[in-house]
Amino acid sequence: GAGRRTLAEYTGKKFFYGIKTGLNEAFVIDRVIRDRFVQQHPASGTILKPFVQGTHLRPFHIEESDQFLITLKSSGDYSWAWSDLDENTEKAFAEAFPPVYAHLQAQREVVSKRSDQGRYWWELRSCAYWEAFEQPKIVWPDISKLPRFSMDTENRYLGNTGYIIPGGDYYLLGILSSWATWFFISKTAQPLRLRGDRWQYRLIAQFMEHVPVPDAPEAERQAIAGLARTCSSVGQERYQGQVNFQRRLLQAFGSTGELNQKAEAWWNLSLNQLGDALKQSFKLPANPMKNPRAADEWEPYLQEKRDDNARLTRALTDAEAELNDRVYRLFNLTADEVKLLQMEVEH
């Protein structure tokens, strides 16, 4: 239509899926292993990059994964110490990154059988857009039942269950995150299955490239970009607060085990409900909040953090509402059309 381009046209077809390692069990490590490698051999840190999968990509924020990718690019893409040698290539790799070599060597049989690999068995397959991960980029998961677009500003690498659009275009983030765009996606992308009462859709390139991106006057572009920035910073701050409180609970009550789903969503709970959730999570003999001293200590703290969470949720909801209104207007939707669309997607 007039005044809009498809996402493929708007981005010059620059959206990419994440890295296919062929064997995440070998190439994706946790923070403990990463820290050990760096302690043993600081230079190995240069090839260990923060890594997330589609599951970590949420609306306007990215969850911590505590995972790292061993980014041994193919010698076809990058010149390593071993790339131009005629012999002793493996020895050169072992000397360049000893702990990483030992780690992959221990799983050599499966690592070397990957169909996705570089010039050498320890390398990742060739990828034409490595540098795209080292810059701000819009990210989203390949399967979702609601808009889960966010801006990665921390140079994270993505697994192949996520997609990226390089460059920090907050106007585009605002358009993609809107219910107007989700309505279009719900009519054009392949539905996968019902989850709860919502359909999950496959947000792969062949469907996403048709998403319309409306043109807008500069002032309007700035306004939408500003709202998307606000949603991003507030969304990230709220998530951080939620995680920090979860950590406090783990430190205080959970010598072993992890928080159950109820305790994870602590901001929805009264003090007594939180105590019950902790009791179940950590198989404690009693609800710890029944202890008056613990209750006196935790009640004001819980209240303060719940208030913070509620304030940030309101700020996020307000910014999202304004963002959606502005995008509806860009698509020239009438009030009635907006109502119908909201009934269909915003439930």
Side-chain angles (χ1 to χ4, degrees):
R4 64 183 71 151
R5 290 171 281 175
T6 64
L7 188 60
E9 292 164 341
Y10 183 90
T11 61
K13 279 216 159 174
K14 280 194 174 45
F15 34 89
F16 308 115
Y17 53 73
I19 300 294
K20 292 181 174 174
T21 66
L23 190 70
N24 281 356
E25 296 76 18
F27 285 90
V28 178
I29 57 175
D30 64 24
R31 187 177 292 279
V32 176
I33 295 175
R34 179 223 170 246
D35 290 350
R36 193 174 73 229
F37 286 178
V38 172
Q39 203 178 357
Q40 291 168 354
H41 185 253
S44 289
T46 59
I47 60 167
L48 307 174
K49 305 288 188 174
F51 180 79
V52 289
Q53 286 279 24
T55 45
H56 302 112
L57 308 179
R58 312 311 302 181
F60 289 118
H61 73 279
I62 299 170
E63 290 177 353
E64 290 167 7
S65 72
D66 270 346
Q67 294 179 326
F68 294 82
L69 177 67
I70 300 173
T71 55
L72 285 164
K73 305 169 185 176
S74 168
S75 284
D77 300 333
Y78 187 81
S79 185
W80 299 104
W82 57 86
S83 299
D84 300 319
L85 299 179
D86 295 331
E87 51 191 37
N88 294 336
T89 49
E90 194 165 325
K91 185 165 172 280
F93 167 44
E95 285 168 2
F97 305 112
V100 177
Y101 172 71
H103 169 82
L104 292 176
Q105 174 65 15
Q107 309 171 68
R108 179 175 189 143
E109 200 178 327
V110 274
V111 172
S112 58
K113 282 198 180 123
R114 293 171 303 139
S115 53
D116 283 325
Q117 55 178 277
R119 193 183 297 168
Y120 300 102
W121 66 264
W122 56 87
E123 293 179 344
L124 297 171
R125 64 180 266 169
S126 198
C127 170
Y129 47 88
W130 280 107
E131 72 292 336
F133 294 102
E134 298 272 353
Q135 57 178 283
K137 55 193 172 292
I138 295 173
V139 295
W140 71 91
D142 63 350
I143 295 170
S144 184
K145 61 179 184 174
L146 75 176
R148 280 165 51 189
F149 299 87
S150 59
M151 186 69 74
D152 170 47
T153 54
E154 307 207 352
N155 298 355
R156 295 176 178 95
Y157 283 64
L158 241 69
N160 63 339
T161 52
Y163 278 86
I164 69 172
I165 294 175
D169 186 343
Y170 279 91
Y171 170 69
L172 182 59
L173 176 63
I175 299 295
L176 291 175
S177 300
S178 70
W179 286 117
T181 295
W182 190 253
F183 180 76
F184 178 86
I185 288 171
S186 74
K187 294 293 177 235
T188 52
Q190 179 187 347
L192 201 62
R193 56 180 168 250
L194 268 171
R195 265 290 160 88
D197 57 345
R198 300 184 73 104
W199 279 98
Q200 286 187 324
Y201 295 97
R202 301 203 61 202
L203 306 188
I204 56 180
Q206 71 186 79
F207 302 122
M208 290 298 295
E209 61 185 20
H210 303 296
V211 166
V213 181
D215 289 339
E218 187 53 31
E220 194 55 28
R221 286 182 77 95
Q222 295 294 341
I224 287 171
L227 288 163
R229 277 178 198 277
T230 298
C231 291
S232 300
S233 62
V234 173
Q236 196 63 38
E237 186 186 344
R238 182 178 69 163
Y239 167 70
Q240 216 45 66
Q242 292 170 353
V243 170
N244 290 345
F245 193 88
Q246 290 168 359
R247 286 205 187 108
R248 290 276 182 274
L249 293 174
L250 280 164
Q251 285 162 351
F253 302 101
S255 46
T256 57
E258 47 190 49
L259 297 170
N260 63 15
Q261 268 182 313
K262 206 163 184 186
E264 276 190 347
W266 54 265
W267 55 92
N268 295 324
L269 306 178
S270 69
L271 189 69
N272 198 34
Q273 290 168 326
L274 178 60
D276 279 338
L278 292 169
K279 181 187 165 186
Q280 287 165 351
S281 295
F282 303 125
K283 314 217 175 343
L284 303 172
N287 173 338
M289 300 306 177
K290 292 274 203 266
N291 172 333
R293 191 162 280 159
D296 282 352
E297 206 178 314
W298 280 87
E299 188 140 41
Y301 182 56
L302 175 64
Q303 193 55 55
E304 178 197 335
K305 296 302 174 192
R306 282 178 55 182
D307 290 347
D308 281 350
N309 192 74
R311 172 180 58 78
L312 292 166
T313 299
R314 276 194 306 275
L316 187 57
T317 307
D318 291 349
E320 282 184 307
E322 189 187 337
L323 185 139
N324 278 306
D325 285 346
R326 286 179 181 272
V327 178
Y328 288 140
R329 288 205 294 274
L330 284 186
F331 282 113
N332 297 320
L333 297 177
T334 66
D336 287 343
E337 286 169 330
V338 169
K339 257 203 193 89
L340 285 170
L341 186 153
Q342 284 171 327
M343 269 166 58
E344 198 157 321
V345 292
E346 286 192 47
H347 58 250

